[in-house]
Amino acid sequence: NAGVTQTPKFRILKIGQSMTLQCAQDMNHNYMYWYRQDPGMGLKLIYYSVGAGITDKGEVPNGYNVSRSTTEDFPLRLELAAPSQTSVYFCASSYKGGINTEAFFGQGTRLTVV
Amino acid sequence: EDQVTQSPEALRLQEGESSSLNCSYTVSGLRGLFWYRQDPGKGPEFLFTLYSAGEEKEKERLKATLTKKESFLHITAPKPEDSATYLCAVNTGGFKTIFGAGTRLFVKA
């Protein structure tokens, strides 16, 4: 049982480039999330999804886009990368949402924009 | 503004030296408080959820407690493998969950 798998683990982007962070889960969870973690700061929610075809903005969505065509996959797209997007990105999933969230996290993608 | 503050930022213990980590919160309405453990280079791992003041939960050497203003994560007789960053998060409704910055715990043998 792989849980939540994120690829790539590390990436360096140049300013203005675009990329997609991949996330897949094999637990048949309806709820999926993208967070970013900056040094000395708490995790911030970027986008979340409550099921295939349904996504919504979190706390810090600017500069990002998501899609959810299947239950398993929840890719995060960065368009026109900026240095402010240098961070560690975590994808997570849960069976339930909100206060019942026991979220399972992937291992993270460390992104540097130069 | 809703806020979650964890203290101390870092804590160094000797093996067997019990201590507590603090998570204080100022939020409009607490629906649930979560504790996670995060190892270097890994994603957070869920530990506990607490829903109301007075509630306590235990797992091995860890015990989490909740009051109306703060939560404590008590670590009894810690071992080196307990070294990690411990994250606290508060849900105020729906998908609005606020994470603290974490406490880095180092346990020396």
Side-chain angles (χ1 to χ4, degrees), chain B residues 15-34:
Chain B
E15 184 173 3
E17 180 186 1
S18 301
S19 188
S20 297
L21 282 57
N22 178 263
C23 172
S24 64
Y25 57 90
T26 307
V27 299
S28 53
L30 179 140
R31 300 295 303 279
L33 184 143
F34 309 100

Side-chain angles (χ1 to χ4, degrees), chain A residues 31 33 35 37 40-45 48 50 59 90 97-108, chain B residues 31-32 34 36 38 41-46 49 51 87 91-102:
Chain A
Y31 298 84
Y33 316 84
Y35 288 92
Q37 187 176 41
M41 305 286 287
L43 288 155
K44 301 285 188 184
L45 182 64
Y48 66 94
V50 301
E59 187 179 358
F90 288 101
I99 63 171
N100 297 310
T101 303
E102 177 185 335
F104 295 83
F105 284 79
Q107 300 234 3
Chain B
R31 300 295 303 279
F34 309 100
Y36 286 86
Q38 185 174 22
K42 300 286 182 65
E45 177 186 349
F46 173 81
T49 306
Y51 294 103
L87 305 176
N91 180 274
T92 59
F95 292 92
K96 187 170 172 57
T97 298
I98 305 160
F99 279 81

Side-chain angles (χ1 to χ4, degrees), chain A residues 24-72:
Chain A
Q25 55 93 6
D26 62 0
M27 296 174 282
N28 201 32
H29 286 168
N30 285 325
Y31 298 84
M32 295 190 74
Y33 316 84
W34 274 106
Y35 288 92
R36 60 178 288 171
Q37 187 176 41
D38 299 308
M41 305 286 287
L43 288 155
K44 301 285 188 184
L45 182 64
I46 304 171
Y47 270 96
Y48 66 94
S49 170
V50 301
I54 306 170
T55 63
D56 206 348
K57 296 178 181 179
E59 187 179 358
V60 290
N62 291 344
Y64 308 95
N65 276 300
V66 294
S67 60
R68 184 97 181 269
S69 57
T70 67
T71 299
E72 294 78 18

Side-chain angles (χ1 to χ4, degrees), chain B residues 40-81:
Chain B
K42 300 286 182 65
E45 177 186 349
F46 173 81
L47 292 173
F48 305 107
T49 306
L50 302 168
Y51 294 103
S52 58
E55 189 174 0
E56 299 181 352
K57 288 195 176 174
E58 288 188 67
K59 180 179 181 180
E60 297 180 358
R61 295 176 292 281
L62 300 177
K63 178 180 178 181
T65 62
L66 181 64
T67 73
K68 289 186 177 180
K69 294 183 179 181
E70 58 192 349
S71 176
F72 291 94
L73 185 64
H74 306 278
I75 303 177
T76 303
K79 298 182 177 182
E81 53 262 41

